[in-house]
Short mmCIF file of all heavy atoms in Angstrom, two decimals:
data_model
loop_
_atom_site.label_atom_id
_atom_site.label_comp_id
_atom_site.label_asym_id
_atom_site.label_seq_id
_atom_site.Cartn_x
_atom_site.Cartn_y
_atom_site.Cartn_z
N VAL W 302 102.01 74.22 84.44
CA VAL W 302 101.85 74.20 82.98
C VAL W 302 101.46 75.58 82.55
O VAL W 302 100.49 76.14 83.02
CB VAL W 302 100.86 73.15 82.53
CG1 VAL W 302 100.66 73.18 81.02
CG2 VAL W 302 101.30 71.77 83.00
N THR W 303 102.20 76.14 81.55
CA THR W 303 101.87 77.41 80.95
C THR W 303 101.27 77.33 79.59
O THR W 303 100.60 78.28 79.11
CB THR W 303 103.12 78.36 80.93
OG1 THR W 303 104.18 77.60 80.23
CG2 THR W 303 103.61 78.65 82.29
N ALA W 304 101.46 76.19 78.87
CA ALA W 304 100.91 76.04 77.56
C ALA W 304 100.99 74.52 77.22
O ALA W 304 101.85 73.75 77.66
CB ALA W 304 101.74 76.82 76.50
N ILE W 305 100.00 74.14 76.41
CA ILE W 305 99.96 72.78 75.81
C ILE W 305 99.80 72.93 74.32
O ILE W 305 98.91 73.70 73.91
CB ILE W 305 98.86 71.92 76.39
CG1 ILE W 305 99.03 71.77 77.90
CG2 ILE W 305 98.77 70.58 75.68
CD1 ILE W 305 97.84 70.99 78.58
N THR W 306 100.62 72.35 73.54
CA THR W 306 100.47 72.40 72.09
C THR W 306 100.47 70.98 71.54
O THR W 306 101.01 70.06 72.14
CB THR W 306 101.55 73.25 71.39
OG1 THR W 306 102.80 72.45 71.44
CG2 THR W 306 101.80 74.59 72.09
N HIS W 307 99.84 70.81 70.37
CA HIS W 307 99.85 69.51 69.77
C HIS W 307 99.68 69.66 68.24
O HIS W 307 99.17 70.71 67.75
CB HIS W 307 98.81 68.57 70.32
CG HIS W 307 97.37 68.94 70.04
ND1 HIS W 307 96.69 68.65 68.90
CD2 HIS W 307 96.49 69.69 70.85
CE1 HIS W 307 95.48 69.13 68.97
NE2 HIS W 307 95.30 69.76 70.10
N ARG W 308 100.06 68.63 67.46
CA ARG W 308 99.87 68.63 66.02
C ARG W 308 98.45 68.12 65.78
O ARG W 308 97.80 67.48 66.62
CB ARG W 308 100.91 67.76 65.38
CG ARG W 308 100.83 66.27 65.66
CD ARG W 308 102.00 65.50 65.09
NE ARG W 308 102.14 65.79 63.68
CZ ARG W 308 103.28 65.68 63.00
NH1 ARG W 308 104.41 65.31 63.64
NH2 ARG W 308 103.38 65.87 61.75
N ARG W 309 97.94 68.50 64.64
CA ARG W 309 96.64 67.92 64.20
C ARG W 309 96.78 66.47 63.98
O ARG W 309 97.77 66.02 63.39
CB ARG W 309 96.14 68.68 63.00
CG ARG W 309 95.78 70.15 63.20
CD ARG W 309 95.08 70.76 62.06
NE ARG W 309 94.77 72.21 62.34
CZ ARG W 309 95.55 73.17 62.07
NH1 ARG W 309 96.70 72.95 61.48
NH2 ARG W 309 95.19 74.45 62.36
N GLY W 310 95.82 65.70 64.45
CA GLY W 310 95.93 64.23 64.32
C GLY W 310 96.88 63.60 65.28
O GLY W 310 97.42 62.52 65.05
N ALA W 311 97.13 64.27 66.41
CA ALA W 311 98.15 63.81 67.40
C ALA W 311 97.73 62.47 68.01
O ALA W 311 96.53 62.20 68.24
CB ALA W 311 98.39 64.82 68.45
N ILE W 312 98.75 61.67 68.35
CA ILE W 312 98.56 60.36 68.99
C ILE W 312 99.26 60.45 70.37
O ILE W 312 100.46 60.90 70.41
CB ILE W 312 99.13 59.20 68.19
CG1 ILE W 312 98.35 59.11 66.81
CG2 ILE W 312 99.10 57.88 68.91
CD1 ILE W 312 99.04 58.20 65.86
N TRP W 313 98.57 59.99 71.42
CA TRP W 313 99.18 60.05 72.79
C TRP W 313 99.91 58.72 73.02
O TRP W 313 99.32 57.68 73.07
CB TRP W 313 98.08 60.25 73.82
CG TRP W 313 98.65 60.36 75.19
CD1 TRP W 313 98.74 59.37 76.12
CD2 TRP W 313 99.15 61.54 75.84
NE1 TRP W 313 99.25 59.85 77.27
CE2 TRP W 313 99.58 61.19 77.13
CE3 TRP W 313 99.29 62.84 75.45
CZ2 TRP W 313 100.10 62.11 78.01
CZ3 TRP W 313 99.81 63.79 76.27
CH2 TRP W 313 100.25 63.38 77.61
N PRO W 314 101.27 58.81 73.19
CA PRO W 314 102.01 57.58 73.46
C PRO W 314 102.10 57.32 75.00
O PRO W 314 102.23 58.24 75.77
CB PRO W 314 103.39 57.91 72.94
CG PRO W 314 103.54 59.42 73.09
CD PRO W 314 102.15 59.97 72.99
N ALA W 315 101.91 56.08 75.36
CA ALA W 315 101.98 55.76 76.83
C ALA W 315 102.61 54.39 76.93
O ALA W 315 102.57 53.55 76.04
CB ALA W 315 100.60 55.72 77.39
N THR W 316 103.25 54.13 78.06
CA THR W 316 103.79 52.82 78.36
C THR W 316 103.21 52.33 79.67
O THR W 316 102.92 53.14 80.56
CB THR W 316 105.33 52.80 78.36
OG1 THR W 316 105.81 51.44 78.41
CG2 THR W 316 105.88 53.54 79.64
N VAL W 317 103.04 51.03 79.79
CA VAL W 317 102.59 50.42 81.03
C VAL W 317 103.71 49.69 81.68
O VAL W 317 104.39 48.86 80.96
CB VAL W 317 101.41 49.44 80.75
CG1 VAL W 317 100.98 48.73 82.06
CG2 VAL W 317 100.20 50.19 80.15
N VAL W 318 104.06 49.95 82.86
CA VAL W 318 105.16 49.32 83.57
C VAL W 318 104.55 48.56 84.76
O VAL W 318 103.60 49.01 85.39
CB VAL W 318 106.29 50.31 84.02
CG1 VAL W 318 107.01 50.89 82.82
CG2 VAL W 318 105.69 51.45 84.91
N GLY W 319 105.18 47.47 85.13
CA GLY W 319 104.75 46.63 86.24
C GLY W 319 105.59 45.41 86.32
O GLY W 319 106.82 45.38 85.95
N VAL W 320 105.01 44.26 86.70
CA VAL W 320 105.75 43.05 86.83
C VAL W 320 106.26 42.63 85.39
O VAL W 320 105.53 42.74 84.41
CB VAL W 320 104.78 41.91 87.29
CG1 VAL W 320 105.53 40.58 87.38
CG2 VAL W 320 104.27 42.25 88.67
N PRO W 321 107.53 42.31 85.28
CA PRO W 321 108.09 42.01 83.98
C PRO W 321 107.57 40.62 83.47
O PRO W 321 107.13 39.81 84.27
CB PRO W 321 109.59 41.93 84.28
CG PRO W 321 109.71 41.50 85.72
CD PRO W 321 108.51 42.25 86.38
N PRO W 322 107.55 40.46 82.15
CA PRO W 322 108.09 41.37 81.12
C PRO W 322 107.06 42.40 80.72
O PRO W 322 105.90 42.12 80.61
CB PRO W 322 108.48 40.49 79.97
CG PRO W 322 107.48 39.34 80.09
CD PRO W 322 107.20 39.19 81.55
N GLN W 323 107.56 43.60 80.36
CA GLN W 323 106.79 44.67 79.77
C GLN W 323 107.60 45.32 78.65
O GLN W 323 108.72 44.89 78.35
CB GLN W 323 106.36 45.71 80.89
CG GLN W 323 105.65 45.25 82.02
CD GLN W 323 104.11 45.22 81.77
OE1 GLN W 323 103.68 45.23 80.60
NE2 GLN W 323 103.32 45.24 82.80
N GLU W 324 107.04 46.38 78.08
CA GLU W 324 107.70 47.08 76.99
C GLU W 324 109.11 47.54 77.37
O GLU W 324 110.05 47.50 76.59
CB GLU W 324 106.88 48.29 76.56
CG GLU W 324 107.57 49.11 75.45
CD GLU W 324 106.69 50.31 75.07
OE1 GLU W 324 105.73 50.66 75.80
OE2 GLU W 324 106.96 50.87 74.02
N ASP W 325 109.33 47.96 78.61
CA ASP W 325 110.63 48.50 79.02
C ASP W 325 111.72 47.43 78.98
O ASP W 325 112.88 47.79 78.87
CB ASP W 325 110.56 49.07 80.45
CG ASP W 325 110.10 48.08 81.54
OD1 ASP W 325 109.06 47.43 81.26
OD2 ASP W 325 110.69 48.00 82.58
N ALA W 326 111.35 46.14 79.00
CA ALA W 326 112.38 45.08 78.85
C ALA W 326 113.05 45.18 77.45
O ALA W 326 114.27 44.97 77.38
CB ALA W 326 111.74 43.75 79.07
#
Side-chain angles (χ1 to χ4, degrees):
V302 179
T303 54
I305 299 174
T306 72
H307 66 85
R308 68 187 306 152
R309 294 188 179 90
I312 297 169
W313 183 264
T316 192
V317 176
V318 293
V320 177
Q323 299 275 20
E324 178 181 14
D325 57 313

